C-alpha cells in the first residue's frame, strides 16, 4: 500500500503543478489551479468544523519536590586539599543541571563570611540540559579549626540550604606548607623573638606569597604593621633593599607610609597599619562608591608616576583601607613572589596582569600597565569577579591576551555608568587605554561631579548642600582645576560660619592668587581644603 502523503507534501505538489499550468495557459491556468486546490481547501474546512478534544495537560518538567532535590544534588563545591588561615585559596563552586530543560540558579555563599573573606559571595549560573558550569571564588580564612556553613541554592521561588564543612589550618611555624621557606631555610626563631620584643601586643593578621604581616604596638603606643618575608635569597635580598628604598621616597595620603626597614635581626619593614583592604569589601559595590575609591587611588598613583615610579602589581589586597581612605601598599615587594596560581615568580599577579606583562608583542610595561590594573580593580568592585579567570596561569594568560571581557553591566546593571571607563582601561593595546592616570581621573571626576552637581541642585537641606559643594570643591582641586574649585569654594562659603568661614576665605584667596598667576594647585592646599570642608560640612 503506497504511503499517504502529508499535508505539506500534497500542498507543495499541487502548488508546483499550478504554477506550471498558469505559466502555459495564463488565465485559464488560474481556473484549473483553483480546482486543483479545492480538495485541500475542503479538508481545511472539515478540520475547522470538527470539535477538537480538550488538550491533555502537559506534565510539569519538574514537580516542586523534584526541583528542591535537583538543587540539592546539583551543587558542586571543590575546596583545595588544605586551607590555611590568612592565605588566599580558590574554591570551585558549580552546578550540574540534571533536568530536561534550561535551568538557572543563584548560589549564595554569605555564611562563609563568618570565617573569612569571600569574593564573589554570590554566583548566578544558567545551564542547558545536562550542562555543568562552575566558577572559582576566592576565600581567605580568618579563623582556624573545623567549621560548618550553609550554602544557599536558589532557583525562582525555590531555595534550599546545603551544609558544607571545611577545616582551616595554622601554617607550620608561621610558614605555609610547600612554601620556599619550608623546603629551604626556616625562620630563625630567636631573631623573630628579638624583633617582637621591641613591640607589644603582636598578632598575625595576614600573609601572602612573599611575607607574613603582623599587627603590633610600638612602645610609644603607635599601632603599626610588620611585614616579614618568609625567605630571602641573595638576589631577592637585593631587590628587597632596592624596593624599600623606592617606597621610603613616597609620602602621600593615598600611599601606605613606610616607617622603618632593616635586615637585623631579620629582614622586615614597619609600616602604617590599615584595618582592611579592597579584598575585604562586600562586592559588588554601587558604581559611585567604586568610582570614588579608584579616584582616590589615582591620587596616589599620580604622585608616584610623577616620581617615575610605577606599581605594576595593583590588586585588592594591595589597596588598603584606613578609616575608609584607600592607600596603595607593597611597592615592589610583590615582585619577589612564590609561584602559585594567583601569584607567579614573574613579577606580577596573573589575575590582574596587563597583556604586556605576559607577552612582549604588546610592548613593555609603563604607566599604562597600572591603568589596566585599575580597570581590573573597578571591574571586580562593581561585579564581584575579575574579568579574566581560569584554573591556571596558562588559561588566565590566554584570556588576557586573546579574549575580550564580558561587559560589567551583564553581571550588574548598576555598573553601566562606569562601564565605558572600565572597558577603555582594559584595552589590549596600550595606545587605546587612557594615556595617563590624570586622564583617567578626569573622566572619573566628570562622572562623579555630574552626580554631585545634580544633588546640589536638588538639595534643600543645609548640611547636604554644604556636603556636595565641599565634594565638588575637593574634586576639582584634585583634578588641578583651580577655576572650578574657586566657584564651588564660593558656594561653600554660604554655609560656613565662625572660624571655619575665616579659614575658607583664606583658602579662596589662595585660589585667587594661583588663578591670576597661572600656577598649579599644591598638595598642601588640597590638604588644607580637606580640613576646612570637614569643618564646614562635617564630611
Amino acid at each position: 500500500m503506497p504511503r499517504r502523503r502529508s499535508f505539506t507534501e500534497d500542498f507543495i505538489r499541487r502548488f508546483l503543478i499550478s504554477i506550471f499550468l498558469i505559466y502555459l495557459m495564463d488565465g485559464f491556468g488560474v481556473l484549473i489551479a483553483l480546482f486543483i486546490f479545492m480538495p485541500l481547501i475542503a479538508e481545511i474546512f472539515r478540520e475547522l468544523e470538527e470539535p477538537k478534544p480538550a488538550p491533555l495537560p502537559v506534565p510539569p518538567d519538574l514537580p516542586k519536590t523534584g526541583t528542591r532535590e535537583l538543587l540539592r544534588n546539583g551543587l558542586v563545591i571543590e575546596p583545595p586539599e588544605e586551607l590555611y588561615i590568612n592565605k588566599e585559596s580558590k574554591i570551585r563552586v558549580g552546578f550540574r543541571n540534571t533536568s530536561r530543560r534550561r535551568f538557572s540558579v543563584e548560589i549564595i555563599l554569605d555564611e562563609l563570611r563568618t570565617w573569612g573573606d569571600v569574593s564573589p559571595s554570590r554566583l548566578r549560573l544558567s545551564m542547558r540540559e545536562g550542562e555543568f558550569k562552575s566558577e572559582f571564588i576566592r576565600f581567605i580564612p580568618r579563623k582556624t579549626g573545623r567549621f560548618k556553613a550553609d550554602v544557599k541554592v536558589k532557583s525562582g521561588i525555590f531555595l534550599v540550604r546545603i551544609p558544607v564543612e571545611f577545616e582551616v589550618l595554622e601554617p607550620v611555624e608561621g610558614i605555609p606548607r610547600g612554601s620556599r621557606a619550608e623546603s629551604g631555610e626556616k625562620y630563625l626563631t630567636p631573631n623573630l623573638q628579638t624583633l617582637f620584643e621591641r613591640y607589644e601586643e603582636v598578632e598575625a593578621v595576614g600573609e601572602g606569597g612573599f611575607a607574613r604581616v603582623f599587627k603590633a604596638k610600638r612602645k610609644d603606643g603607635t599601632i603599626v604593621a610588620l611585614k616579614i618575608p618568609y625567605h630571602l635569597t641573595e638576589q631577592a635580598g637585593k631587590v628587597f633593599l632596592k624596593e624599600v628604598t623606592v617606597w621610603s621616597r613616597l609620602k602621600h595620603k593615598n600611599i601606605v607610609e613606610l616607617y622603618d626597614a632593616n635586615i637585623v635581626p631579620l629582614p622586615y619593614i614597619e609600616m602604617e597599619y590599615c584595618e582592611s583592604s579592597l579584598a575585604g569589601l562586600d562586592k559588588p559595590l554601587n558604581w559611585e562608591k567604586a568610582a570614588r575609591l579608584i579616584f582616590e587611588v589615582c591620587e596616589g598613583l599620580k604622585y608616584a608616576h610623577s616620581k617615575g615610579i610605577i606599581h605594576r602589581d595593583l590588586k585588592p589586597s594591595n589597596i588598603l583601607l584606613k578609616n575608609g581612605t584607600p592607600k596603595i601598599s607593597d611597592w615592589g615587594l610583590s615582585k619577589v613572589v612564590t609561584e602559585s596560581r594567583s601569584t607567579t615568580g614573574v613579577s606580577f599577579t596573573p589575575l590582574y596582569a596587563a597583556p604586556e606583562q605576559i607577552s612582549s608583542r604588546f610592548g613593555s610595561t609603563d604607566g599604562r600597565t597600572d591603568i589596566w590594573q585599575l580597570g581590573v580593580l573597578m571591574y571586580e568592585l562593581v561585579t564581584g569577579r575579575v574579568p579574566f579567570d581560569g584554573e591556571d596561569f596558562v588559561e588566565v594568560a590566554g584570556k588576557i591576551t586573546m579574549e575580550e571581557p564580558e561587559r560589567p553591566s551583564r553581571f550588574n546593571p548598576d555598573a553601566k555608568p562606569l562601564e565605558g571607563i572600565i572597558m577603555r582601561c582594559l584595552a589590549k593595546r596600550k595606545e587605546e587605554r587612557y594615556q595617563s592616570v590624570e586622564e583617567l581621573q578626569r573622566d572619573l571626576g566628570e562622572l562623579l561631579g555630574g552626580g554631585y552637581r545634580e544633588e546640589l541642585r536638588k538639595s534643600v537641606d543645609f548640611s547636604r548642600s554644604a556636603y556636595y559643594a565641599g565634594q565638588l570643591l575637593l574634586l576639582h582641586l584634585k583634578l588641578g582645576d583651580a577655576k572650578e574649585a574657586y566657584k564651588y569654594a564660593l558656594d561653600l562659603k554660604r554655609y560656613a560660619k565662625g572660624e571655619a568661614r575665616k579659614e575658607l576665605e583664606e583658602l579662596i584667596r589662595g585660589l585667587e592668587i594661583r588663578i591670576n598667576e597661572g600656577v598649579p594647585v599644591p598638595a598642601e592646599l588640597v590638604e588644607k581644603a580637606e580640613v576646612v570642608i570637614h569643618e564646614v560640612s562635617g564630611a
Side-chain angles (χ1 to χ4, degrees):
M1 184 177 179
R3 181 178 67 88
R4 187 176 184 271
R5 291 191 184 93
S6 68
F7 180 90
T8 303
E9 290 173 332
D10 199 15
F11 177 88
I12 292 173
R13 174 173 163 274
R14 293 170 188 266
F15 180 74
L16 292 175
I17 293 172
S18 298
I19 290 176
F20 181 73
L21 290 172
I22 293 170
Y23 175 76
L24 290 179
M25 306 174 71
D26 294 328
F28 188 69
V30 174
L31 184 61
I32 296 175
L34 184 60
F35 279 104
I36 290 174
F37 271 95
M38 282 300 290
L40 285 183
I41 295 171
E43 185 177 341
I44 291 171
F45 275 106
R46 278 197 305 272
E47 290 188 3
L48 290 174
E49 289 173 356
E50 288 176 4
K52 292 187 177 179
L56 294 173
V58 179
D61 185 18
L62 288 169
K64 292 185 178 181
T65 55
T67 300
R68 290 194 175 90
E69 196 64 26
L70 170 67
L71 294 176
R72 288 192 186 91
N73 295 336
L75 179 67
V76 175
I77 294 185
E78 296 177 355
E81 290 185 6
E82 294 176 331
L83 292 170
Y84 290 100
I85 186 170
N86 297 321
K87 184 173 179 60
E88 180 181 303
S89 298
K90 294 285 180 177
I91 299 177
R92 182 197 286 272
V93 179
F95 193 87
R96 189 178 304 282
N97 178 16
T98 56
S99 74
R100 300 186 300 277
R101 59 181 171 86
R102 191 169 191 86
F103 202 74
S104 298
V105 297
E106 181 179 14
I107 302 173
I108 303 166
L109 303 146
D110 291 343
E111 283 199 21
L112 291 184
R113 293 187 179 280
T114 307
W115 287 82
D117 302 333
V118 184
S119 178
S121 60
R122 295 185 176 219
L123 298 178
R124 292 179 176 85
L125 305 174
S126 181
M127 295 133 294
R128 297 187 301 273
E129 176 184 349
E131 186 178 13
F132 171 73
K133 278 189 179 179
S134 67
E135 294 186 16
F136 284 96
I137 65 164
R138 280 176 286 167
F139 181 50
I140 305 176
R142 299 304 185 191
K143 302 176 185 177
T144 57
R146 185 173 292 277
F147 72 91
K148 295 179 181 180
D150 282 347
V151 174
K152 300 174 186 175
V153 186
K154 182 180 179 183
S155 181
I157 63 172
F158 301 102
L159 174 70
V160 298
R161 297 171 182 268
I162 302 172
V164 295
E165 186 172 334
F166 299 111
E167 183 176 11
V168 179
L169 305 173
E170 182 74 30
V172 178
E173 296 184 16
I175 300 171
R177 294 175 189 168
S179 69
R180 286 185 297 176
E182 184 177 84
S183 59
E185 299 175 19
K186 303 241 183 190
Y187 267 2
L188 299 176
T189 305
N191 289 353
L192 188 61
Q193 188 62 36
T194 300
L195 175 64
F196 286 170
E197 286 172 357
R198 302 176 185 176
Y199 302 89
E200 299 172 356
E201 301 175 17
V202 180
E203 60 176 301
V205 292
E207 61 182 273
F210 177 78
R212 194 172 191 189
V213 181
F214 298 85
K215 177 184 177 182
K217 182 192 287 188
R218 289 199 306 220
K219 301 299 184 183
D220 63 3
T222 304
I223 302 297
V224 299
L226 299 174
K227 176 164 276 194
I228 303 173
Y230 297 126
H231 171 64
L232 289 179
T233 62
E234 182 178 351
Q235 180 60 33
K238 292 178 182 178
V239 175
F240 173 82
L241 294 175
K242 175 185 174 183
E243 299 303 335
V244 164
T245 302
V246 170
W247 194 349
S248 65
R249 291 166 43 204
L250 299 173
K251 306 290 184 183
H252 191 275
K253 176 188 173 183
N254 296 109
I255 294 176
V256 173
E257 186 174 356
L258 182 66
Y259 296 143
D260 191 19
N262 212 320
I263 58 173
V264 177
L266 77 171
Y268 75 95
I269 61 172
E270 179 190 278
M271 60 187 186
E272 180 180 10
Y273 175 73
C274 300
E275 66 273 9
S276 60
S277 72
L278 294 189
L281 293 179
D282 191 7
K283 308 174 189 71
L285 301 182
N286 170 271
W287 74 263
E288 189 175 345
K289 183 175 181 180
R292 283 200 305 269
L293 285 168
I294 299 302
F295 183 92
E296 293 300 318
V297 173
C298 284
E299 278 290 286
L301 270 186
K302 191 167 61 175
Y303 169 80
H305 286 192
S306 72
K307 302 282 187 183
I309 300 169
I310 59 176
H311 194 286
R312 294 185 291 188
D313 197 35
L314 296 169
K315 54 186 177 182
S317 59
N318 283 346
I319 310 295
L320 306 185
L321 295 171
K322 186 172 185 178
N323 300 322
T325 299
K327 294 174 177 279
I328 309 169
S329 180
D330 284 6
W331 290 84
L333 292 182
S334 52
K335 297 175 194 171
V336 188
V337 290
T338 57
E339 185 154 359
S340 71
R341 182 191 162 276
S342 60
T343 307
T344 75
V346 289
S347 305
F348 60 82
T349 306
L351 292 173
Y352 303 89
E356 60 270 20
Q357 291 178 289
I358 294 170
S359 172
S360 60
R361 67 188 173 94
F362 293 97
S364 57
T365 58
D366 57 29
R368 292 167 293 184
T369 304
D370 285 348
I371 288 170
W372 167 283
Q373 293 177 345
L374 288 177
V376 179
L377 283 175
M378 283 188 281
Y379 192 107
E380 184 172 1
L381 287 175
V382 297
T383 67
R385 64 188 70 207
V386 290
F388 305 100
D389 204 350
E391 295 192 39
D392 53 36
F393 172 74
V394 174
E395 184 179 355
V396 173
K399 289 181 178 179
I400 289 172
T401 55
M402 292 185 288
E403 295 184 11
E404 293 300 320
E406 295 279 2
R407 301 190 79 83
S409 59
R410 179 180 172 233
F411 304 109
N412 178 15
D414 177 67
K416 193 69 175 177
L418 202 54
E419 186 166 86
I421 293 175
I422 294 173
M423 298 304 286
R424 184 173 174 186
C425 290
L426 295 178
K428 306 288 187 198
R429 297 179 65 249
K430 292 184 294 182
E431 294 77 14
E432 296 174 2
R433 297 175 208 158
Y434 290 99
Q435 297 302 291
S436 66
V437 175
E438 289 86 349
E439 188 182 1
L440 167 59
Q441 194 183 35
R442 276 197 300 274
D443 273 8
L444 288 170
E446 186 172 333
L447 193 62
L448 289 168
Y452 293 155
R453 284 189 290 272
E454 180 63 18
E455 292 297 329
L456 180 61
R457 184 185 65 80
K458 294 188 301 185
S459 178
V460 294
D461 179 78
F462 179 91
S463 60
R464 297 305 293 167
S465 297
Y467 170 80
Y468 288 116
Q471 291 303 304
L472 284 162
L473 166 58
L474 196 57
L475 187 92
H476 289 290
L477 281 175
K478 291 179 176 180
L479 292 173
D481 190 341
K483 290 183 179 178
E484 283 294 303
Y486 177 77
K487 181 175 78 173
Y488 290 109
L490 293 177
D491 280 349
L492 186 62
K493 185 178 175 181
R494 292 186 292 173
Y495 310 103
K497 297 177 181 178
E499 193 64 33
R501 185 181 180 90
K502 292 179 182 178
E503 292 179 2
L504 180 58
E505 288 173 344
E506 184 180 340
L507 176 68
I508 290 171
R509 286 193 294 272
L511 283 171
E512 287 175 339
I513 292 171
R514 281 160 178 82
I515 291 170
N516 293 333
E517 296 181 358
V519 295
V521 177
E524 296 78 17
L525 197 64
V526 177
E527 292 173 4
K528 181 178 180 180
E530 288 179 324
V531 175
V532 174
I533 290 167
H534 179 73
E535 291 175 351
V536 175
S537 65

